Amino acid sequence: FSGLSALMAARGWLVLEPNYRGSDNHGAASIATSLGHPMSVAGRDIIDVVDRLTAEGIVDTSRIGVSGWSAGGMMTSWLITHDTRWKAAFDGAAVTSLLGVQTMSDVDYYGQALMKGNPWADEALMKATLEESPLTYADRVKTPTLIVTDAGDQRVPTPLSYEFYHAVRATGTPAELLVYPVNGHFPGDPLHAEDVNRRWIDWFAKHF
């Protein structure tokens, strides 16, 4: 999504791409630091860097957005359920439920790897898995959110986006759901891929 970042920067927006714990940019050692607490550890890192930039006086606190796709969508979901500073959010192909990933994804071991075990075999781990899932806190969302998925996404199952959309919308928070009629984890054809970028930017332009 480097091209998307450039398009955002061209509008004069400050674009932050934090290298939080759990991302793979620093290898296995970095990933291991978040296992068992994949959302909350990374979430704290992102909040910390946003707070730091805000303290430096280079952030317009009335126009802060948050967005991402896949793992970035996962963190977007977590951040909007744990912080209300965001003016708008774009939530793409997001892991909103670690249980849902384990039961429906084509990489069903992913959730167990993040949580270091099978929640159905350990009551304490089940509790922790629910605590690390953004869906658990959907009632806290106050940010206008555009939720996007592909109709045939087997990596991050499409039902997760439907579920999160209905949960957020039930609270009265503005939420929209966009489902592309394609297979895969991200639209592979140029027409739909370009449309994702356009709608991504337009969503923020609308709310900024």
Side-chain angles (χ1 to χ4, degrees):
F1 297 102
S2 58
L4 178 65
S5 298
L7 291 173
M8 291 181 172
R11 285 177 170 256
W13 299 345
L14 173 65
V15 180
L16 170 66
E17 296 179 323
N19 195 12
Y20 49 82
R21 283 173 291 174
S23 63
D24 59 5
N25 291 337
H26 287 309
S30 174
I31 295 174
T33 61
S34 71
L35 296 181
H37 307 279
M39 307 280 195
S40 55
V41 167
R44 284 196 299 271
D45 287 352
I46 296 170
I47 291 296
D48 285 348
V49 72
V50 172
D51 286 343
R52 179 171 180 176
L53 291 176
T54 300
E56 292 178 2
I58 61 174
V59 175
D60 182 350
T61 56
S62 68
R63 298 193 303 159
I64 304 179
V66 59
S67 66
W69 194 277
S70 192
M74 177 174 75
M75 291 316 307
T76 296
S77 301
W78 178 262
L79 290 166
I80 63 175
T81 57
H82 286 75
D83 199 297
T84 59
R85 76 183 71 192
W86 323 109
K87 187 70 173 179
F90 181 101
D91 200 17
V95 176
T96 56
S97 168
L98 290 168
L99 291 178
V101 166
Q102 293 185 48
T103 55
M104 292 184 283
S105 175
D106 62 347
V107 286
D108 55 359
Y109 56 83
Y110 179 64
Q112 292 189 34
L114 289 178
M115 294 305 300
K116 301 170 64 175
N118 187 332
W120 284 277
D122 185 321
E123 184 177 350
L125 188 56
M126 174 63 79
K127 181 175 182 292
T129 300
L130 292 172
E131 290 175 347
E132 288 291 311
S133 296
L135 181 64
T136 303
Y137 313 98
D139 62 314
R140 300 180 182 179
V141 178
K142 304 300 181 184
T143 304
T145 303
L146 176 58
I147 299 168
V148 184
T149 184
D150 288 349
D153 189 344
Q154 296 180 332
R155 184 57 39 88
V156 177
T158 307
L160 299 186
S161 293
Y162 279 87
E163 191 172 27
F164 195 62
Y165 164 70
H166 286 290
V168 172
R169 190 166 174 265
T171 69
T173 296
E176 295 183 17
L177 175 65
L178 173 62
V179 182
Y180 286 98
V182 298
N183 294 322
H185 190 44
F186 185 83
D189 64 287
L191 180 63
H192 287 111
E194 182 180 353
D195 192 67
V196 171
N197 287 346
R198 179 181 64 81
R199 290 177 184 269
W200 201 317
I201 290 176
D202 286 352
W203 183 255
F204 287 114
K206 173 183 176 181
H207 291 89
F208 286 175

